[in-house]
Amino acid sequence: MGRTVTVATCALNQWAMDFDGNLERILKSIEIAKNEKARYRVGPELEICGYGCSDHYYESDTLLHSFQVLRKLLESPVSQDIICDVGMPVMHRNVRYNCRVIFLNRKILLIRPKMALANTGNYREMRWFTPWSRSRNVEEYFLPRIIQEVTLQESVPIGDAVLSTLDTCIGTEICEELWIPTSPHIEMGIDGVEIFTNSSASHHVLGKAHTRVELVNSATAKEVLVATLDLEDVRSYRAEISSRNLEASKVTPYPRIKVHFALSCSDDICTPTNEPIQWKYHSLPEEISLGPACWLWDYLRRSKQGGFLLPLSGGVDSSATACIVYSMCCQVCYAVENGNQSVLDDVRKIVNDEAYIPTESQELCRRILTTCYMASENSSQETHNNAKSLAGEIGSYHININIDGAVKAIWGIFSTITGRLPQYRVDGGSVRENLALQNVQARIRMVFAYLFAQLSLWTRGMPGGLLVLGSANVDESLWGYYTKYDCSSADINPIGGISKADLKTFIQYCIENFHLMSLKGILSAPPTAELEPMKKGHIVQTDEADMGMTYAELSVYGKLRKIAKAGPYTMFCKLITVWKDFCSPREVASKVKHFFRMYSVNRHKMTTLTPSYHAANYSPDDNRFDLRPFLYNSSWSWQFRCIDEQVSKLETKDHKLEDVV
């Protein structure tokens, strides 16, 4: 009697609409699984077409090509003698479902539609799919002819069922179903299902690993002592829990699809089982070091560009971006050192050298990353030195550019046409003049960034172009503290979903782990845009003074606005309690009003926000995550009046208490 089983779960680097590449990666994963003696292979959600197809799911082509890939998988000798569980969209009775298609030896066993769709944050599954609502029910699905020709099946079951093999029972969940209170695995376990699979497309959010692991642990803890692959351990553990057995005796059974196939062998008595995984939680700065770096590498190799160009200002944000690229180079070198041929092939294509082998992170960084410090008459020697020193430590190809000539040329044209020349605030100019002078500098830097991204490699006799990296953090985007179409307008932004506070923690991590000592000065300097003239050689412009709030306050506003779903009045009501020790209700009201004024005035900038690595649940990204109007009545008259009325009530109450005392 068999008791030990080997199953394989696969995390693949699938790409939306890349049917050839997706097929190749699925087949490779099945081959690896079989080589490791696995008898069941489960892959990621919607792996055949790729999870991020968005409105391409509406197209009949996407369904057609998914079935064409499925046919290739069914026909392949690689997929024989192993149960394969793949993800793809399926239309049943003119309704589109997000499905798992489970097959064995050219026969489809079950099409299992997703029952709970992800529809918050970045996810819009209800836009394209319908949840399967018939619990523990199956229907007849008539296969398209291209599949019938291979399977010799006219129809197969579709719905909420489980697989009953010769030695065990297997149940399927799909991503979001693990997160809901009534997860299918609960009832499945009571009904005798011994193995649960969950295919997922969940994205990385800073600190989310704890939640994900706890959910997996809770799923297994309801049924299994440890996450073992010894079926007898599962059975003996369950058999002694009388309350569970009472529930099992009256549960409505799941439809069982009989599979004449065993996951175990009859002579497996000496087969060792895996020990439970001891999960290693990364610290927050470690997650920043690893996650965005992998995202950058994936984007770079897929885009077939020659590297990155980063405007390096010498401040925390652009320095953090540079450090993430350096971390990426470290990971690439480590992968190559450990024999990862795929990574080596990719890096050779990127640097256009078929014999290249990266061994030093700094040397690879010099090939892949170009940094440029774009000085103006308002730039300090301190930021110039910081940028140069950091570039030297990480090894980037560094350029110094002075933009004053271009800035003066633009103002010369403006003056010739209008006969007027604006002045900075320190020289008696208005707020409008002062802002316009700053914006021209910022936008000129964007023009130079794209110019050098296109031609920098050409000037060095190398082919290809560079991707421009942005470095606006999530807090600045929320407030709108940047110039529209300046250096924040880039191709991609690895820190666009990370707060200023978290970036500072990451900078400290880089000092300690990458030994980048130039970061000490960058970390201690006050954040500044350096777009206004200095006074007696000293910087007078700082970010927090310009914004009228601290970065710490901005993070609080962002989390309340997005995560707590707080409008102006609710935010005020929450903060008068949270900040009661150092702010009066009137001061809280003033702060909340100022935030919402600036947020609403600048919201239009979100329509042009650079695509960024999504790592914060309060990101204001208008394109994917935070769907709001981009033109507001920024007076918020009704909302602010409610706040004022509440302030008056609180102050009247306080005065009465003082009179009593």
Side-chain angles (χ1 to χ4, degrees):
M1 177 178 174
R3 57 185 293 166
T4 61
V5 299
T6 302
V7 297
T9 178
C10 309
L12 306 182
N13 190 229
Q14 302 300 74
W15 193 358
M17 308 303 289
D18 179 21
F19 291 97
D20 277 320
N22 292 347
L23 170 60
E24 180 183 342
R25 286 180 285 271
I26 293 170
L27 285 172
K28 183 65 176 177
S29 72
I30 296 171
E31 182 181 2
I32 294 171
K34 288 179 68 175
N35 289 340
E36 296 294 327
K37 310 299 182 186
R39 303 277 279 174
Y40 192 107
R41 175 266 181 207
V42 59
E45 188 174 7
L46 293 167
E47 60 186 307
I48 284 180
C49 58
Y51 183 83
C53 294
S54 299
D55 282 0
H56 286 295
Y57 289 124
Y58 289 137
E59 300 167 4
S60 60
D61 281 9
T62 304
L63 294 167
L64 169 64
H65 300 328
S66 294
F67 273 110
Q68 289 170 334
V69 170
L70 178 62
R71 174 173 177 146
K72 293 287 187 183
L73 291 169
L74 288 163
E75 291 175 329
S76 173
V78 172
S79 67
Q80 305 308 300
D81 299 321
I82 181 172
I83 297 177
C84 295
D85 181 341
V86 299
M88 61 178 279
V90 173
M91 185 172 282
H92 174 57
R93 297 181 180 176
N94 297 326
V95 179
R96 194 182 302 102
Y97 295 100
N98 174 349
C99 293
R100 306 303 300 174
V101 178
I102 307 172
F103 62 90
L104 169 67
N105 294 336
R106 300 193 176 198
K107 300 290 183 184
I108 293 177
L109 306 174
L110 171 68
I111 299 176
R112 201 308 199 150
K114 191 172 183 179
M115 302 178 69
L117 300 182
N119 212 52
T120 59
N122 280 355
Y123 301 101
R124 305 281 183 275
E125 291 182 12
M126 290 287 285
R127 180 179 174 92
W128 309 297
F129 301 109
T130 300
W132 182 267
S133 57
R134 299 189 63 195
S135 175
R136 298 187 180 99
N137 269 279
V138 294
E139 296 176 358
E140 193 175 21
Y141 177 79
F142 291 91
L143 294 169
R145 279 177 291 180
I146 61 169
I147 302 300
Q148 289 185 31
E149 291 167 359
V150 178
T151 65
L152 304 180
Q153 298 167 288
E154 184 180 88
S155 64
V156 296
I158 181 172
D160 184 24
V162 297
L163 301 183
S164 183
T165 66
L166 296 175
D167 52 358
T168 188
C169 190
I170 306 164
T172 300
E173 281 186 335
I174 307 175
C175 196
E176 181 74 7
E177 294 169 359
L178 176 65
W179 300 76
I180 62 175
T182 55
S183 297
H185 67 258
I186 300 171
E187 292 291 309
M188 285 182 188
I190 293 173
D191 192 32
V193 174
E194 295 176 332
I195 297 174
F196 311 112
T197 67
N198 186 290
S199 56
S200 176
S202 184
H203 68 283
H204 171 235
V205 172
L206 295 177
K208 191 178 180 181
H210 291 268
T211 304
R212 187 177 286 114
V213 171
E214 285 167 6
L215 280 168
V216 173
N217 284 340
S218 67
T220 55
K222 291 164 186 164
E223 311 297 339
V224 188
L225 180 61
V226 291
T228 181
L229 294 178
D230 189 326
L231 297 177
E232 291 305 315
D233 283 353
V234 178
R235 293 161 186 162
S236 60
Y237 171 72
R238 288 179 174 178
E240 68 175 357
I241 304 175
S242 57
S243 59
R244 181 254 169 210
N245 297 336
L246 286 171
E247 290 297 315
S249 67
K250 57 187 178 183
V251 70
T252 302
Y254 277 81
R256 276 167 160 73
I257 310 299
K258 295 180 180 179
V259 184
H260 193 73
F261 185 78
L263 270 62
S264 61
C265 300
S266 58
D267 58 347
D268 61 359
I269 191 69
C270 296
T271 303
T273 58
N274 291 351
E275 292 298 317
I277 294 173
Q278 298 299 315
W279 186 268
K280 180 185 183 299
Y281 292 102
H282 293 292
S283 66
L284 186 141
E286 284 177 324
E287 288 192 38
I288 296 174
S289 176
L290 298 171
C294 291
W295 181 72
L296 284 181
W297 176 250
D298 207 37
Y299 198 101
L300 177 60
R301 66 181 189 80
R302 287 179 171 183
S303 68
K304 297 181 172 64
Q305 296 301 299
F308 301 112
L309 181 133
L310 171 65
L312 186 59
S313 69
V316 165
D317 296 335
S318 62
S319 297
T321 302
C323 290
I324 289 172
V325 177
Y326 180 69
S327 174
M328 181 199 80
C329 292
C330 292
Q331 292 181 64
V332 168
C333 289
Y334 179 79
V336 170
E337 182 183 349
N338 284 272
N340 191 318
Q341 187 62 42
S342 176
V343 172
L344 180 58
D345 292 342
D346 286 334
V347 76
R348 284 174 170 172
K349 291 175 185 175
I350 291 167
V351 303
N352 196 43
D353 185 345
E354 294 181 357
Y356 176 63
I357 300 177
T359 55
E360 296 291 335
S361 303
Q362 286 85 352
E363 189 274 333
L364 176 59
C365 194
R366 184 169 181 80
R367 286 176 177 254
I368 284 180
L369 177 62
T370 297
T371 52
C372 59
Y373 180 80
M374 295 188 242
S376 75
E377 61 185 5
N378 302 320
S379 302
S380 67
Q381 190 63 41
E382 180 184 12
T383 54
H384 172 275
N385 294 341
N386 286 341
K388 182 179 179 181
S389 297
L390 178 59
E393 285 186 319
I394 65 175
S396 66
Y397 183 86
H398 191 62
I399 304 170
N400 284 303
I401 304 171
N402 191 296
I403 67 171
D404 284 337
V407 172
K408 289 175 181 176
I410 287 177
W411 286 120
I413 295 170
F414 180 85
S415 179
T416 299
I417 295 171
T418 65
R420 302 286 299 276
L421 194 62
Q423 300 295 316
Y424 284 106
R425 179 168 46 191
V426 296
D427 298 323
S430 65
V431 172
R432 181 186 295 185
E433 294 171 69
N434 191 65
L435 190 57
L437 285 162
Q438 295 183 65
N439 288 343
V440 166
Q441 295 172 68
R443 289 178 176 134
I444 280 292
R445 287 182 170 129
M446 182 199 72
V447 173
F448 274 118
Y450 275 97
L451 173 62
F452 278 85
Q454 283 183 300
L455 295 179
S456 178
L457 294 182
W458 171 74
T459 64
R460 292 145 62 185
M462 301 163 64
L466 303 173
L467 294 167
V468 178
L469 294 181
S471 54
N473 65 61
V474 68
D475 297 324
E476 290 172 344
S477 297
L478 175 64
W479 193 98
Y481 184 64
Y482 62 90
T483 299
K484 197 175 186 179
Y485 303 116
D486 68 348
C487 281
S488 63
S489 299
D491 293 314
I492 50 175
N493 178 4
I495 68 166
I498 306 175
S499 71
K500 191 77 162 189
D502 289 344
L503 288 173
K504 287 185 173 182
T505 304
F506 170 62
I507 290 290
Q508 184 61 44
Y509 169 87
C510 292
I511 294 171
E512 297 169 1
N513 291 271
F514 294 148
H515 309 294
L516 303 175
M517 294 301 109
S518 59
L519 293 174
K520 289 184 176 181
I522 293 170
L523 190 58
S524 62
T528 174
E530 289 194 335
L531 293 172
E532 294 188 50
M534 292 182 285
K535 189 173 183 180
K536 296 181 180 180
H538 297 287
I539 295 170
V540 294
Q541 180 188 30
T542 63
D543 292 354
E544 293 185 337
D546 277 357
M547 292 190 296
M549 63 188 71
T550 66
Y551 279 107
E553 290 173 336
L554 195 46
S555 288
V556 171
Y557 300 142
K559 290 170 183 174
L560 287 174
R561 183 197 69 97
K562 179 64 179 177
I563 300 174
K565 314 296 189 294
Y569 181 72
T570 296
M571 186 180 292
F572 163 76
C573 292
K574 288 179 178 294
L575 289 178
I576 56 174
T577 301
V578 176
W579 289 349
K580 64 181 180 180
D581 293 336
F582 50 87
C583 281
S584 68
R586 187 166 294 277
E587 289 171 329
V588 172
S590 177
K591 287 175 178 287
V592 170
K593 289 179 183 178
H594 179 60
F595 164 71
F596 272 98
R597 284 193 195 99
M598 301 316 301
Y599 156 75
S600 56
V601 164
N602 289 306
R603 180 66 192 183
H604 64 95
K605 297 179 182 179
M606 294 300 97
T607 62
T608 63
L609 193 67
T610 297
S612 63
Y613 182 82
H614 182 73
N617 281 332
Y618 67 97
S619 168
D621 185 346
D622 179 68
N623 300 306
R624 299 175 301 164
F625 184 68
D626 189 45
L627 306 181
R628 314 268 177 144
F630 57 83
L631 181 62
Y632 283 89
N633 181 341
S634 59
S635 67
W636 299 86
S637 56
W638 187 285
Q639 296 92 329
F640 287 1
R641 188 162 60 250
C642 289
I643 292 175
D644 291 339
E645 290 171 357
Q646 190 62 37
V647 169
S648 297
K649 290 178 182 178
L650 290 170
E651 289 180 339
T652 300
K653 182 179 178 181
D654 288 343
H655 289 322
K656 288 181 178 179
L657 288 173
E658 289 174 2
D659 292 342
V660 171
V661 174

